[in-house]
Amino acid sequence: SSSQSGMTEREERRFAEVPRESIKLMAESSGVELSEEVAALLAEDVCYRLREATQNSSQFMRHAKRRKLSVEDLNRALRWSNTETICGYGAQDALPFRPLKEGELFFVEDREINLVELALATNIPKGCAETMVRVHVSYLDGKGNLEPQGTVPTAVQSLSEDLLKYYQQITRAILGEDPHLMKVALLDLQSNSKIAALLPYFVYVISGVKSVSHDLDQLNRLLHMVKSLVQNPYLYLGSYVRSLVSSVMYCILEPLAASINPLNDHWTLRDYAALLLSHIFWTHGDLVSGLYHQILLSLQKVLSDPVRPLCSHYGAVVGLHALGWKAVERVLYPHLPAYWANLQAVLDDYSVSNAQVKADGHKVYGAILVAVERLLKMKALSLTLAAEGSGAGLPGTTTGAVGFRENSPGLSPPSEPLSEPPLGIASHLQAGGAGCPWEEWTPVSLPAMYCELYSFFGDSLAVRFSTGPPLGGATPPGPCQPLEGRKEPASSAPNLENTRKMPQLTASMNISPRQDGSPRMEPQPPSLAATETRKTCSVEVPPGPGLGTTDIFPKARFPLPQAGPPAFSFIIGGRQMGRRCQGRRFQTSFTPTPPLTTHPPRAYAHKLPVIGRVSKPVRRWTCSHYSLHLPL
Amino acid sequence: MAAVQDGPMELDAEKETKPEILSDGTSNLSGNTASGTLSSSPLTAAPAGGAPKMEDQQTLIAVLQFLKRNKLSESVEILRREAGLGEHQEDSQATDGSGGGKGDGDGGDANSLLSRVFITSAAAPQSMLVKKDQPDVSVVLSAYSQQGDPPLYQVYYSGLKNFIESVLDCHRAELSQLFYPLFVHMYLELVYNNHETKAKAFFDKFSGDQECYYQDDLRILCGLTKKEHLKGNEVLLDFRTSRFVLRISRDSYQLLKRHLQERHNNQIWNIIQEHLYIDIFDGMPRSKSQIDSMSGSLAGEARREVNKAKVFYGLLKEPEIEVPLDDEDDEAENEEGKPKKKKTKKDSLGSKSKKQDPNAPQQNRIPLPELKDSDKLDKIMYMKESTKRIRLGPENLPSICFYTFLNAFQGLTAVDFTDDSSLLAGGFADSTVRVWSVTPKKLRKVKSTAELNVIDKESDDVLERIMDEKTASESKILHGHSGPVYGVSFSPDRNYLLSSSEDGTVRLWSLQTFTCLVGYKGHNYPVWDTQFSPFGYYFVSGGHDRVARLWATDHYQPLRIFAGHLADVTCTQFHPNSNYVATGSTDRTVRLWDVLNGNCVRILTGHKGPIHSLAFSPNGKFLASGSTDGRVLLWDIGHGLMIGELKGHTDTIYALKFSRDGEILASGSMDNTVRLWDSMKAFDEVETDDFTATTGHIHLPDNSQELLLGMYHSKSTPVTHLHFTRRNLLLAAGAYNSQ
């Protein structure tokens, strides 16, 4: 190492050379006298060997993918050329190279280290941190760095000119006045493949729902924007899902400023938002772990908060309904007894000052009714399928979630989903909370559930399954035998009177005459019809597995000769959907394949009196056939 | 040829004998029958000769011997008469001459060198017709070529320089190719003959004229001033013993020949004869840029004939696997009765083509391991994933995920991803190999034998049961090497990992037990790179010993040794059909080797620095190579020609990867950037008609800027590895460098 001392440059300065004086000095220090000639030869050779070693060592540097030649590289080169390696210079920090004032001598500073001190030192150096790998998305679709999650876009001008223009045009079109422009913009937002970089900006715009809660129209437009973004197959929403969900939840649950005026139809907005929520969950729920659980918790919180206005409760119910029957079963159903008291108090108050609140109460009532109806149906179906399937396993677990993913409920004409995706949910719930009530939850058997629900809704519920109120004295079913649950529990009979007192949502029904000449039935109390069918039902249905929903909710309310399964239509008034139809019709059919095509809905249309604020008569039915098998 | 004799030389005598050698050489090069021209050459030479000195006499004797052996008795008679040599004299002198040569101080060394030359030049059949049976004659003859007068080297060289500078522009570029090899050989000869100061003066005078891309070599050269230095320098020994290849049009060559004959510039001609190989082609002389694009390697350009061999670059037929209908996107996936359906979708690039590609090798040309059930499952997974693959293009660039190695103080030297992007391996300068799981699934070891005995081997989930849950962790460290790990490669089935190290070994690790299974010894020098075959089982390694070796995992000795590179083999890559291996080297060439017979089937020149990365296009047709000069070159394998040059990087390119469908080429470099190139456009723009031309020279468009689709900076992290996931997401990896 000290051979580097006394470097002189020749005029060419091509490379450093070791002068013969250095060689002589080195030799002297080891007790050898060298002649001038030998020293010159040696010096030259040393120079060459040093250069060679340096050149060879550079390949070790290159293969170690470094820019800086290290002592270790040189040592490796020396080792491979069978030369002694240099020891003691492996430290990372630079070694100061100093001149000596007296002579032309340069040396590397070599400090003395007190080993005792070092050994007894208390500040033991920590080992260096562990080598690890971290991953992050550096460039999305080859376009710029992703903004960290949740940050407000500070510099819109950092986008490319084109993107910026696009962003401005789109937001202007969507939030502007021209409905046609809005449609075009939404369609493009839904299909454009190059807007990944704009995603944070759009999400930010959408989070503006909170500032326009007085303007239903704007809220609606923002929700449509959410829908377009969610449906865009080229966008990876990632953690932005959370932000979108919170905006949508806001529309579902919050007592919007717009709802102060009863003329504003915020109900539809909530319905639409709920629809959107379910769509986001089904298509993007896997992006954020525990999302489902969080949504459920916040819905539950709202529902259990009596201070909240009824419109928030309504939102919670439709939200739960939109998330599927399992959500209804787990949150709404257990919560119902507590909630019912409040609701009933509202509904029973006939004072004028309460009229508005009461109307809201009816909305909630209707929403709950729809939710629990589907709960019962889906549960029954899942039981049947479970029985048909492996014969073992929990209800509903054997059928997968397949149907739902692409089948955005309500957003596209859906086919009939067999069941909810229980596995996915279950895992979410497991992951979601330790010590939360989810784990203690035990499923209620179907008959028991029906029984309880009947106690709340009475015939309003019963007519939805074409079964009348149960009769006492019929074969009382075992509470734990789901497959025999087709018989309505006898225990519900005493409640009959209570339920009668409850406000009848579905106060009457019309059974229109059938084409095939079946007897026209006048509006009559459902109990009567049920009583009639009861007999046939209990006789006709053979016990045992392998039966569909029809066994659980016998359809034999009407005489058998009918050619196909009857279709029932219910109208719950006051729940407007869109501009074109002021009512919503629910159809239930009791065969696995809905006979929509063969049996037009007019066959057994039950017209129910309208509750709530429907000013205009219901018209244009056919444009909105929503099956009850769907989440709203 | 190495100088053998240091005896006094006389210029005039030498000049007089030269023409015969000159014409001799000419005949060889132009491919005439050697003997015919040779027989006449003494006639032209002899009259010019005065009183022959000792050396000349030896020459004459040697020539006579040669003529005799070739039964050219008339010529012998004439020569003997004219030279005034007696028969006895000839015999005695002949033995003296050869004996004297061997008895010389450097005789032993020189002879060994000679034999090396002999072997290498034996490959050039034309020039060896004469010398083949006459080793002693060739020794004597070659001795003359060393006897140039040192002071005159400068004269010779500047004479040639003046000539070349005065010729027509179209020839100047071609003839300028001579400068560098001549310069190096003349310098080395001066050094070899101990003319140190003359060598230095020669170097100083002419080194500035050389092309800038030879700077690295010149730097090594200028340090060489003693004959002893040459001994240890393998690179320069190779330079001396291998022939530097130049491609020159016939017109330019004739011009050169005429000039040298007129000027009797024998010294230069000798060097051309012995150390250069001039590949003459008919047609237009090449332009400067055409020449520059192909030159730069240690041994000049590749001879055209070496790239003539047929290369089966097509892909192998995919095995037929029953693939269940991919219905993840459809609504109903009935659990029971999944409809079985054969995969019908085909890749547009034909990577999955069922039809036999005419350019594909026979399916069993290289025996490949049979597919296991797990391999089939993986293939099905692959196909499913590939249906979800994003179509990339200039309008649709991939997203990039960067895997940053933090706290890699020991130095990250190599990275590899598994094909399904589930595992990541890093080789480190502290001799360790680390494996990370980049999915939530943790890495687990197999249980110990004692524990394994306990488990129920009949159970369905036995594969799950053999794993030891206690060992689950995100990463595992593999200890075993005793030097920095320079290369890592996963086996396609994700069961094994290869690592190559400075300690001269390649190690095979099990990813089930995370232990070393085999250490493959053979290189004995640092092993710079190793790579598994795309079908597993085989792997290739390349190292400092200048050879690449083909191994099979169950053989402890290599199956093939691919020798030919003149310097370290720095990187290796298997062709997608596993029939070929590409190697990049410090000699600035890329070579393609046939796995079947070990032959070198392509030599690709044009890089100006050591090559550190290689990538085959997924359809097997093209090869990309990146080097320290920051350029990526694209090659057409079938024709063995360069078809593109991608300029932009400012530092060594350590990573190259084509997207899964080959539309995009990603390059990663020490300059902390990833660049994406429009490879489709680069390949499309090549006019394939050019290939059929006999010259085989194409004009490269300078369109790097048009082909560059994007440049992405990392944060102070050199890009060590690039990988496209099966869905075409780009993964990059590198160690964060805090300085």
Side-chain angles (χ1 to χ4, degrees):
Chain A
S1 57
S2 59
S3 66
Q4 292 168 0
S5 62
M7 280 187 195
T8 58
E9 277 101 359
R10 297 179 55 167
E11 49 200 294
E12 306 144 10
R13 289 171 155 268
R14 193 170 294 130
F15 36 70
E17 288 190 5
V18 182
R20 61 191 75 169
E21 290 79 20
S22 300
I23 300 291
K24 279 172 104 175
L25 269 172
M26 290 281 290
E28 271 171 34
S29 68
S30 50
V32 182
E33 194 79 27
L34 287 182
S35 73
E36 199 70 16
E37 204 178 329
V38 172
L41 278 172
L42 267 178
E44 205 168 357
D45 197 53
V46 163
C47 272
Y48 175 75
R49 298 297 161 197
L50 274 176
R51 269 198 303 279
E52 194 183 33
T54 319
Q55 269 154 10
N56 288 341
S57 62
S58 74
Q59 66 185 346
F60 290 96
M61 174 191 76
R62 276 206 315 273
H63 283 283
K65 302 186 168 89
R66 265 185 281 112
R67 278 195 201 83
K68 202 166 157 188
L69 192 72
S70 71
V71 179
E72 191 56 25
D73 292 331
L74 190 73
N75 275 343
R76 290 193 190 288
L78 292 177
R79 212 170 291 145
W80 282 110
S81 52
N82 290 324
T83 313
E84 255 181 69
T85 56
I86 308 163
C87 297
Y89 292 89
Q92 293 285 323
D93 27 289
L95 297 167
F97 197 55
R98 296 195 165 190
L100 197 69
K101 264 182 194 153
E102 289 79 47
E104 278 194 10
L105 198 64
F106 297 81
F107 63 97
V108 176
E109 198 174 23
D110 204 1
R111 280 181 295 126
E112 277 184 18
I113 293 172
N114 188 338
L115 280 178
V116 178
E117 213 168 80
L118 192 71
L120 300 176
T122 48
N123 57 336
I124 295 160
K126 284 180 228 135
C128 52
E130 201 189 337
T131 310
M132 54 184 174
V133 186
R134 285 293 168 265
V135 62
H136 64 280
V137 177
S138 306
Y139 293 92
L140 198 60
D141 297 346
K143 305 243 171 45
N145 265 319
L146 263 189
E147 293 269 337
Q149 185 216 332
T151 52
V152 173
T154 46
V156 176
Q157 62 270 17
S158 72
L159 289 169
S160 80
E161 199 61 37
D162 289 350
L163 275 178
L164 186 62
K165 212 176 264 173
Y166 177 86
Y167 169 76
Q168 285 167 345
Q169 296 282 359
I170 287 284
T171 43
R172 219 170 276 160
I174 292 177
L175 300 177
E177 293 302 311
D178 187 342
H180 178 68
L181 257 183
M182 178 181 97
K183 207 179 256 175
V184 172
L186 286 173
L187 265 179
D188 191 73
L189 205 56
Q190 195 173 321
S191 55
N192 199 321
S193 61
K194 294 163 206 158
I195 53 169
L198 285 174
L199 180 62
Y201 300 85
F202 286 128
V203 170
Y204 177 64
V205 169
I206 288 163
S207 69
V209 283
K210 283 154 196 154
S211 54
V212 292
S213 74
H214 58 280
D215 189 342
L216 277 182
D217 201 36
Q218 293 283 33
L219 287 174
N220 214 7
R221 285 157 186 269
L222 289 173
L223 285 182
H224 273 94
M225 204 159 155
V226 174
K227 182 187 139 193
S228 289
L229 289 179
V230 168
Q231 288 191 321
N232 189 329
Y234 302 101
L235 281 181
Y236 175 77
L237 296 181
S239 50
Y240 288 112
V241 164
R242 212 179 273 280
S243 173
L244 290 179
V245 163
S246 84
S247 296
V248 173
M249 292 283 278
Y250 180 86
C251 293
I252 299 177
L253 292 178
E254 287 310 306
L256 304 168
S259 55
I260 294 170
N261 182 351
L263 294 178
N264 278 334
D265 183 15
H266 57 101
W267 308 103
T268 309
L269 182 82
R270 292 179 203 277
D271 287 347
Y272 183 69
L275 205 73
L276 205 51
L277 180 70
S278 88
H279 181 61
I280 295 175
F281 173 67
W282 290 119
T283 53
H284 294 80
D286 48 344
L287 292 182
V288 181
S289 63
L291 181 68
Y292 179 80
H293 189 70
Q294 284 169 17
I295 295 173
L296 281 193
L297 275 183
S298 52
L299 291 174
Q300 186 185 29
K301 215 174 113 193
V302 170
L303 198 61
S304 58
D305 186 355
V307 182
R308 292 264 193 164
L310 283 168
C311 56
S312 289
H313 292 160
Y314 176 83
V317 174
V318 293
L320 285 168
H321 183 43
L323 286 178
W325 65 275
K326 285 253 165 188
V328 174
E329 184 183 21
R330 289 211 175 180
V331 180
L332 182 60
Y333 173 72
H335 216 265
L336 218 43
Y339 186 71
W340 199 257
N342 291 328
L343 185 60
Q344 197 152 12
V346 169
L347 293 177
D348 284 348
D349 186 352
Y350 289 92
S351 64
V352 179
S353 61
N354 191 46
Q356 183 57 47
V357 180
K358 188 171 169 230
D360 290 356
H362 280 303
K363 295 288 295 183
V364 181
Y365 178 88
I368 297 177
L369 182 62
V370 170
V372 297
E373 180 193 349
R374 198 167 72 98
L375 163 64
L376 289 171
K377 282 200 175 139
M378 296 311 291
K379 200 166 162 76
L381 192 59
S382 73
L383 286 173
T384 326
L385 287 176
E388 280 171 356
S390 58
L394 288 167
T397 44
T398 44
T399 46
V402 238
F404 256 109
R405 290 268 154 173
E406 286 304 302
N407 222 355
S408 49
L411 292 177
S412 57
S415 64
E416 189 169 321
L418 289 175
S419 136
E420 313 286 325
L423 287 172
I425 290 177
S427 64
H428 272 302
L429 291 177
Q430 296 308 327
C436 76
W438 299 107
E439 313 211 325
E440 293 133 37
W441 179 80
T442 46
V444 182
S445 74
L446 183 57
M449 184 179 283
Y450 183 82
C451 190
E452 184 172 357
L453 288 173
Y454 188 86
S455 70
F456 295 134
F457 292 98
D459 291 353
S460 318
L461 185 66
V463 294
R464 288 172 171 267
F465 300 99
S466 75
T467 60
L471 281 183
T475 46
C480 302
Q481 292 166 292
L483 282 173
E484 290 175 8
R486 65 183 185 277
K487 308 278 199 289
E488 271 61 57
S491 56
S492 63
N495 291 340
L496 197 60
E497 290 311 298
N498 295 334
T499 49
R500 291 258 171 205
K501 278 186 215 149
M502 284 165 53
Q504 290 294 308
L505 173 75
T506 52
S508 66
M509 62 179 183
N510 270 318
I511 301 172
S512 47
R514 287 175 47 89
Q515 240 83 5
D516 60 4
S518 60
R520 180 191 166 89
M521 291 194 165
E522 292 298 14
Q524 51 187 303
S527 56
L528 182 58
T531 331
E532 289 170 1
T533 53
R534 195 87 209 113
K535 295 158 193 161
T536 30
C537 155
S538 49
V539 177
E540 161 191 75
V541 178
L547 303 169
T549 358
T550 43
D551 305 320
I552 299 170
F553 305 111
K555 66 178 177 188
R557 173 190 171 92
F558 299 104
L560 281 173
Q562 57 199 25
F568 298 93
S569 297
F570 299 90
I571 300 157
I572 299 173
R575 308 204 24 223
Q576 302 168 3
M577 181 64 185
R579 294 217 167 81
R580 283 148 75 192
C581 50
Q582 275 72 35
R584 175 180 284 199
R585 182 162 53 174
F586 295 91
Q587 279 197 325
T588 41
S589 52
F590 298 106
T591 44
T593 47
L596 258 181
T597 45
T598 49
H599 293 268
R602 65 192 123 86
Y604 289 99
H606 299 255
K607 231 177 175 186
L608 302 175
V610 163
I611 303 173
R613 293 173 297 275
V614 167
S615 46
K616 287 178 228 163
V618 174
R619 51 192 171 94
R620 298 194 62 176
W621 304 105
T622 41
C623 63
S624 61
H625 280 172
Y626 287 94
S627 164
L628 266 185
H629 292 286
L630 303 176
L632 282 181
Chain B
M1 180 47 50
V4 183
Q5 292 181 342
D6 300 326
M9 288 155 279
E10 293 208 18
L11 189 60
D12 54 345
E14 188 188 285
K15 266 187 180 165
E16 277 147 55
T17 45
K18 275 312 165 306
E20 76 178 65
I21 296 161
L22 184 65
S23 54
D24 171 6
T26 317
S27 69
N28 292 343
L29 274 169
S30 48
N32 296 337
T33 53
S35 54
T37 339
L38 200 69
S39 62
S40 62
S41 57
L43 293 175
T44 55
K53 296 268 157 45
M54 192 58 175
E55 274 77 28
D56 297 344
Q57 248 184 353
Q58 279 182 7
T59 315
L60 287 172
I61 290 159
V63 171
L64 276 172
Q65 272 183 328
F66 176 82
L67 293 174
K68 262 188 180 171
R69 283 187 203 179
N70 285 283
K71 311 260 190 288
L72 300 162
S73 51
E74 272 185 47
S75 305
V76 173
E77 281 305 309
I78 295 166
L79 181 61
R80 192 175 289 159
R81 197 169 55 238
E82 286 185 332
L85 288 170
E87 213 154 331
H88 66 281
Q89 199 177 359
E90 173 199 333
D91 290 341
S92 62
Q93 285 291 343
T95 45
D96 276 355
S98 53
K102 275 170 195 147
D104 219 328
D106 301 299
D109 195 342
N111 278 342
S112 70
L113 269 172
L114 280 172
S115 61
R116 286 182 75 167
V117 176
F118 187 67
I119 288 157
T120 32
S121 47
Q126 295 169 331
S127 57
M128 287 319 294
L129 280 173
V130 189
K131 297 177 181 176
K132 208 157 205 168
D133 308 314
Q134 303 290 326
D136 51 339
V137 180
S138 69
V139 168
V140 178
L141 285 180
S142 62
Y144 277 94
S145 63
Q146 315 310 322
Q147 292 175 353
D149 193 10
L152 285 176
Y153 270 42
Q154 287 197 26
V155 180
Y156 292 148
Y157 190 86
S158 39
L160 184 72
K161 192 177 153 193
N162 290 337
F163 161 70
I164 290 176
E165 277 168 0
S166 67
V167 299
L168 285 174
D169 282 2
C170 62
H171 299 299
R172 190 189 304 145
E174 287 210 312
L175 293 179
S176 300
Q177 296 178 81
L178 282 166
F179 283 141
Y180 177 69
L182 281 179
F183 170 81
V184 176
H185 279 294
M186 290 171 98
Y187 178 79
L188 288 179
E189 241 157 56
L190 287 172
V191 170
Y192 200 84
N193 292 328
N194 291 326
H195 302 295
E196 192 184 332
T197 46
K198 300 235 169 55
K200 215 161 228 165
F202 183 78
F203 188 93
D204 292 343
K205 186 154 183 198
F206 299 113
S207 64
D209 298 344
Q210 309 305 325
E211 296 286 351
C212 56
Y213 41 79
Y214 291 120
Q215 282 308 311
D216 286 346
D217 285 350
L218 292 180
R219 203 171 301 132
I220 297 174
L221 210 58
C222 75
L224 263 171
T225 48
K226 293 241 185 301
K227 193 176 176 179
E228 292 75 36
H229 297 162
L230 271 175
K231 278 179 196 158
N233 200 321
E234 277 125 2
V235 175
L236 290 172
L237 275 180
D238 275 338
F239 194 93
R240 286 174 61 76
T241 54
S242 67
R243 292 174 146 232
F244 195 94
V245 180
L246 304 163
R247 282 191 203 173
I248 293 182
S249 70
R250 190 170 294 284
D251 291 350
S252 304
Y253 177 71
Q254 297 292 356
L255 210 63
L256 174 74
K257 197 169 99 181
R258 211 174 309 133
H259 166 78
L260 291 179
Q261 275 174 346
E262 278 166 11
R263 296 292 201 82
H264 303 294
N265 201 341
N266 304 318
Q267 194 62 41
I268 298 235
W269 188 248
N270 281 341
I271 292 176
I272 291 176
Q273 291 298 293
E274 299 196 9
H275 296 302
L276 309 191
Y277 178 91
I278 298 187
D279 194 357
I280 300 162
F281 63 87
D282 295 302
M284 287 276 291
R286 290 188 294 169
S287 69
K288 176 99 173 79
S289 66
Q290 278 179 316
I291 292 167
D292 280 350
S293 68
M294 299 284 282
S295 52
S297 99
L298 194 63
E301 295 184 44
R303 301 174 195 187
R304 274 172 304 154
E305 79 232 18
V306 300
N307 286 347
K308 287 276 193 288
K310 165 113 176 116
V311 173
F312 302 99
Y313 56 80
L315 301 182
L316 296 179
K317 258 192 303 186
E318 283 289 312
E320 304 214 348
I321 299 172
E322 298 274 311
V323 182
L325 178 64
D326 187 25
D327 48 5
E328 272 174 39
D329 295 333
D330 304 342
E331 265 84 308
E333 189 180 20
N334 359 353
E335 288 294 311
E336 72 286 350
K338 264 187 193 169
K340 300 269 178 185
K341 190 181 169 187
K342 274 178 201 165
K343 178 94 179 164
T344 48
K345 263 188 196 168
K346 281 170 194 166
D347 258 346
S348 62
L349 277 169
S351 62
K352 301 283 177 298
S353 176
K354 292 257 182 234
K355 278 176 283 176
Q356 178 72 43
D357 185 341
N359 292 310
Q362 286 215 315
Q363 203 71 11
N364 54 357
R365 189 167 179 264
I366 303 296
L368 293 172
E370 282 194 15
L371 286 183
K372 298 185 294 254
D373 284 350
S374 56
D375 298 332
K376 287 177 182 167
L377 273 177
D378 196 54
K379 284 236 185 275
I380 292 169
M381 277 305 295
Y382 174 82
M383 287 174 186
K384 279 189 176 172
E385 289 274 294
S386 56
T387 57
K388 295 179 184 164
R389 183 179 297 164
I390 296 167
R391 268 243 167 269
L392 298 179
E395 300 297 310
N396 223 354
L397 295 178
S399 301
I400 306 176
C401 278
F402 208 107
Y403 285 81
T404 312
F405 286 74
L406 302 173
N407 307 321
F409 307 110
Q410 66 276 57
L412 177 72
T413 44
V415 178
D416 195 29
F417 280 98
T418 52
D419 186 69
D420 68 346
S421 319
S422 63
L423 299 176
L424 169 67
F428 290 88
D430 67 351
S431 315
T432 60
V433 178
R434 285 156 203 254
V435 183
W436 279 269
S437 167
V438 297
T439 61
K441 200 178 157 200
K442 298 207 162 156
L443 301 175
R444 293 172 301 175
K445 290 183 190 176
V446 170
K447 287 175 181 165
S448 69
T449 39
E451 286 172 304
L452 284 176
N453 282 332
V454 182
I455 64 167
D456 174 16
K457 286 163 195 75
E458 300 303 313
S459 67
D460 291 337
D461 60 343
V462 67
L463 287 178
E464 186 63 26
R465 290 190 188 200
I466 58 171
M467 305 313 291
D468 188 353
E469 205 55 50
K470 289 195 291 290
T471 61
S473 63
E474 203 183 44
S475 78
K476 292 263 182 278
I477 306 182
L478 307 174
H479 296 279
H481 281 296
S482 59
V485 178
Y486 291 121
V488 287
S489 176
F490 279 107
S491 72
D493 63 2
R494 297 187 292 283
N495 282 328
Y496 305 105
L497 176 71
L498 278 174
S499 61
S500 69
S501 160
E502 192 247 11
D503 62 12
T505 64
V506 177
R507 278 175 187 271
L508 181 75
W509 307 85
S510 162
L511 297 180
Q512 303 293 330
T513 58
F514 292 97
T515 52
C516 183
L517 301 176
V518 196
Y520 300 95
K521 293 173 188 174
H523 276 289
N524 293 331
Y525 284 96
V527 189
W528 298 131
D529 197 13
T530 185
Q531 199 76 41
F532 248 116
S533 148
F535 299 92
Y537 186 61
Y538 299 109
F539 65 94
V540 65
S541 63
H544 180 62
D545 58 359
R546 296 186 276 171
V547 298
R549 283 160 207 257
L550 179 84
W551 312 74
T553 47
D554 56 358
H555 286 63
Y556 66 92
Q557 283 181 323
L559 306 177
R560 298 279 183 278
I561 295 183
F562 304 120
H565 276 297
L566 299 180
D568 300 29
V569 176
T570 48
C571 54
T572 55
Q573 195 72 46
F574 257 99
H575 189 275
N577 69 20
S578 201
N579 279 252
Y580 298 92
V581 165
T583 55
S585 163
T586 313
D587 69 10
R588 306 188 287 270
T589 64
V590 177
R591 284 172 187 246
L592 192 69
W593 310 87
D594 192 334
V595 168
L596 181 68
N597 47 28
N599 288 342
C600 176
V601 289
R602 290 286 178 272
I603 302 178
L604 309 171
T605 63
H607 273 296
K608 315 286 190 261
I611 291 143
H612 275 273
S613 49
L614 291 168
F616 280 98
S617 70
N619 61 7
K621 269 188 186 164
F622 305 104
L623 177 68
S625 56
S627 83
T628 55
D629 60 12
R631 298 182 316 146
V632 177
L633 296 183
L634 303 174
W635 310 90
D636 179 291
I637 296 167
H639 301 94
L641 288 175
M642 187 196 301
I643 53 167
E645 177 191 22
L646 306 174
K647 284 184 283 194
H649 280 294
T650 57
D651 210 329
T652 308
I653 296 161
Y654 280 117
L656 276 175
K657 200 68 135 200
F658 282 95
S659 64
R660 292 282 176 162
D661 292 326
E663 317 96 328
I664 300 252
L665 173 66
S667 60
S669 158
M670 277 284 271
D671 64 11
N672 300 348
T673 63
V674 174
R675 288 172 208 238
L676 302 177
W677 310 89
D678 191 345
S679 54
M680 271 312 197
K681 193 173 172 196
F683 296 147
D684 285 346
E685 279 184 3
V686 176
E687 292 155 35
T688 40
D689 292 348
D690 284 354
F691 293 146
T692 54
T694 44
T695 54
H697 308 123
I698 61 157
H699 191 74
L700 289 180
D702 185 18
N703 56 353
S704 293
Q705 281 313 307
E706 294 161 41
L707 297 176
L708 180 66
L709 298 177
M711 176 172 86
Y712 305 101
H713 288 275
S714 67
K715 283 176 187 158
S716 184
T717 310
V719 184
T720 317
H721 189 75
L722 289 170
H723 176 78
F724 274 97
T725 66
R726 291 171 172 180
R727 297 188 187 186
N728 264 342
L729 175 71
L730 179 56
L731 309 181
Y736 175 69
N737 187 1
S738 51
Q739 282 122 2

